[in-house]
Amino acid sequence: MSKVNYLVRSILNFPSPKKCPYCNSQKVKSVDRKYVVTTLNECVNCELLFRHPTDSVSFNAKFYQKAYKQSDSITTDLPSKEQLESWKSNNFKDSIKDYSDKIDILTWLTNGPSKILDYGANWGYTSFQLKTAGFNVQSYEISQPRAEFGKELGLQILTDEKNITPGIDLFFSAHVIEHLPDIKQMFLLAQKLLTADGYFVAYCPNGSNAFKQANPFVFHKFWGQVHPNFLSGEFYSKAFKDVPYLIGSNASPAEAIKNWDKKSQTVLDLTGDELFVIAKIKNQRF
């Protein structure tokens, strides 16, 4: 969608109530602004940062079929046969979608490859790497064209959440949650699918106060048209207040992550531009 169309849509939807899409509270404060009518707001109750005007579930489902585009030549662009074979031959090593560091953490969490859901699998580059690492992978993607392309990687990418099989050890998403119109439904789905000792793991752009102070220019750039939500350590600490969690960023050393006892509520360095959360959410009340 062009910036002009986005601006027009924002203007038309501007009169809509300014309320938190997570907890529905109308106690919010504006913390940033773009294009005059588009604001980034913080919920006083749950501390979620969200864009106003917000998007509906139906608009989101339509938008991510074909309209969603990124300019990095891999996230949303389906590769040529030659490019795909090149990436497959070295397991996406040194590409911008090289997830070997994340897979190392996932393997450590469960003491070896386990049952995992790649939620928001796009056209399959993450699922392919997980499968190569020995994980028993299920994949889900809202965009049917990109899910269909997953067959080129030997993957069956589901497009209906009802077809996901429960009993997973890891509910994993990378740069998905910031796009969703209903975060709580994602948490509830993960809770339903995970085993008692399973982990919810999510990576996304960092909206934490520590990152905002460290890099205000990038903080301002991160939220907007395709990122209606801006997740933060402060939000996750409240959302997962009853269960063990580890919250950090890509400024957190790997050894600090692996020192987590998997029982406590721990927050690491939040000055990096990519936020992550690992939480045992089975007993959390949403």
Side-chain angles (χ1 to χ4, degrees), residues 62-133:
K62 182 179 179 181
F63 176 73
Y64 282 99
Q65 292 308 309
K66 293 182 179 180
Y68 172 49
K69 295 291 182 183
Q70 291 281 31
S71 59
D72 56 19
S73 301
I74 184 171
T75 300
T76 56
D77 292 340
L78 301 180
S80 66
K81 197 160 194 173
E82 294 74 20
Q83 180 63 81
L84 182 62
E85 289 305 316
S86 175
W87 279 329
K88 285 171 60 178
S89 67
N90 65 358
N91 198 29
F92 291 85
K93 183 174 176 57
D94 297 326
S95 75
I96 62 171
K97 297 301 182 183
D98 180 351
Y99 280 8
S100 54
D101 289 346
K102 292 178 173 64
I103 290 173
D104 179 59
I105 297 301
L106 296 172
T107 303
W108 163 77
L109 265 179
T110 52
N111 300 312
S114 51
K115 293 181 180 179
I116 188 168
L117 172 66
D118 180 12
Y119 186 84
N122 210 300
W123 52 263
Y125 42 78
T126 308
S127 293
F128 180 86
Q129 293 173 70
L130 289 165
K131 188 176 179 181
T132 301

Side-chain angles (χ1 to χ4, degrees), residues 127-148:
S127 293
F128 180 86
Q129 293 173 70
L130 289 165
K131 188 176 179 181
T132 301
F135 283 84
N136 182 340
V137 184
Q138 292 187 77
S139 311
Y140 167 80
E141 168 58 38
I142 192 173
S143 169
Q144 293 183 358
R146 285 190 274 276
E148 181 69 18

Side-chain angles (χ1 to χ4, degrees), residues 210-240:
F211 176 65
K212 181 181 181 181
Q213 293 171 10
N215 203 330
F217 174 78
V218 178
F219 178 93
H220 173 75
K221 189 177 179 180
F222 269 171
W223 69 273
Q225 179 178 1
V226 298
H227 294 166
N229 301 307
F230 205 3
L231 288 300
S232 67
E234 292 79 13
F235 167 75
Y236 279 134
S237 294
K238 285 196 170 184
F240 301 146

Side-chain angles (χ1 to χ4, degrees), residues 53 151 154 181 190 202 233 242:
K151 292 177 181 178
D242 299 325

